[in-house]
Amino acid sequence: NGIKTAHESSECFDGIWVMDDDGKPDIHCLQNLVKYLPEYDYLAPLVIAIEDSTRLAFNYHGSFSIKQLIETSDKLTPDYACPFNGILYSRKLVDTIGYPIPQLFIWGDELNYTIRAKDAGFIPYTVTDAFHTHPSDRMKIAKSFMGKEVIEVPNKWKGYCHWRNTIFNSKGRWNIYEYLRYYFLISYYLVIIKKQLSMFRVFNHAFFSGFKKIPDDGYRKYMK
């Protein structure tokens, strides 16, 4: 709604600055993003862990080192961004790809928007002198069959959103082997390792819902 309201405003804004409720931009963040706006359409700040100013809040190709990211490039790091965390989108980008899909709330909606942007030819760039603080990535990794990693979900409704959105975002990108592998690894983890049959039923519901053309709001039944 925020992006839609800004984009459709009579003010005809050149860009839309997006962030969630637990992040905080540096006082010069927007100023340092805007100077690249005429040339670039998807600009991200450097997202720093609020608990440790020497670390990134989200990993950069497996690393949380701010120094490593900055040394990789000069002022702009291409093809890397932390979606919706202080992102500056150009009007052209929103004109082209539209708005985020509200039914994808939560855990995958921002990834979907980035996928659509990339598919339309918009490359994300992180501006290394624009700073935004955010709590560190709280995603937990668990081990499934033969030590293969899977994401551990905190409850049923968030699990539903994560699993459904993973499948929805994978359409046109995964082959049948990748879908079967994903289904097997999550099922093995929930049934054999965790022995959570009720969570496995949620996963089944979410997995097959992910193939729908328009995402459903099936997660609501698990919020009770």
Side-chain angles (χ1 to χ4, degrees):
N1 284 333
I3 293 176
K4 185 176 187 291
T5 300
H7 186 250
E8 296 178 3
S9 167
S10 59
E11 297 287 341
C12 293
F13 297 115
D14 297 319
I16 299 174
W17 196 24
V18 179
M19 64 193 75
D20 58 13
D21 62 343
D22 55 352
K24 182 179 180 181
D26 174 77
I27 192 170
H28 300 297
C29 182
L30 183 58
Q31 176 184 344
N32 290 338
L33 292 172
V34 164
K35 62 187 178 183
Y36 295 102
L37 189 58
E39 187 176 356
Y40 301 95
D41 298 284
Y42 187 141
L43 294 160
L46 198 65
V47 183
I48 300 170
I50 200 168
E51 306 89 347
D52 182 351
S53 61
T54 68
R55 289 173 54 82
L56 296 168
F58 302 92
N59 77 78
Y60 170 65
H61 300 308
S63 170
F64 284 85
S65 169
I66 292 176
K67 181 181 178 183
Q68 180 178 333
L69 184 145
I70 291 176
E71 288 178 348
T72 299
S73 57
D74 188 15
K75 293 289 186 180
L76 294 172
T77 301
D79 207 28
Y80 171 76
C82 300
F84 291 179
N85 289 308
I87 303 291
L88 181 63
Y89 296 118
S90 73
R91 184 174 195 84
K92 177 183 175 183
L93 184 147
V94 181
D95 280 340
T96 304
I97 71 171
Y99 306 127
I101 300 172
Q103 296 95 327
L104 289 181
F105 166 88
I106 186 173
W107 209 346
D109 50 345
E110 73 280 47
L111 174 60
N112 178 268
Y113 204 62
T114 295
I115 289 171
R116 288 159 54 198
K118 287 183 176 181
D119 285 349
F122 297 103
I123 301 173
Y125 284 88
T126 285
V127 179
T128 57
D129 63 354
F131 306 115
H132 185 89
T133 56
H134 189 279
S136 295
D137 188 359
R138 289 161 286 193
M139 186 171 65
K140 295 181 179 179
I141 302 298
K143 302 290 186 180
S144 182
F145 182 73
M146 295 184 69
K148 301 295 183 182
E149 294 184 345
V150 296
I151 293 174
E152 186 175 299
V153 299
N155 54 50
K156 289 181 178 179
W157 76 266
K158 285 189 176 181
Y160 182 93
C161 290
H162 167 64
W163 294 318
R164 181 206 58 188
N165 294 354
T166 296
I167 298 303
F168 186 87
N169 288 333
S170 73
K171 288 188 292 188
R173 291 171 169 79
W174 285 9
N175 57 37
I176 187 65
Y177 168 77
E178 290 170 304
Y179 285 116
L180 291 174
R181 179 181 183 275
Y182 183 76
Y183 186 87
F184 174 75
L185 288 178
I186 302 298
S187 299
Y188 187 93
Y189 174 70
L190 294 176
V191 176
I192 305 301
I193 296 178
K194 299 293 288 185
K195 296 178 172 54
Q196 296 177 340
L197 293 181
S198 63
M199 190 70 90
F200 172 67
R201 286 192 287 270
V202 176
F203 167 64
N204 263 283
H205 182 193
F207 180 87
F208 291 104
S209 293
F211 291 102
K212 294 180 180 179
K213 185 176 181 179
I214 299 175
D216 60 32
D217 61 354
Y219 64 90
R220 293 186 183 277
K221 68 181 289 186
Y222 303 113
M223 297 182 80
K224 299 175 183 179

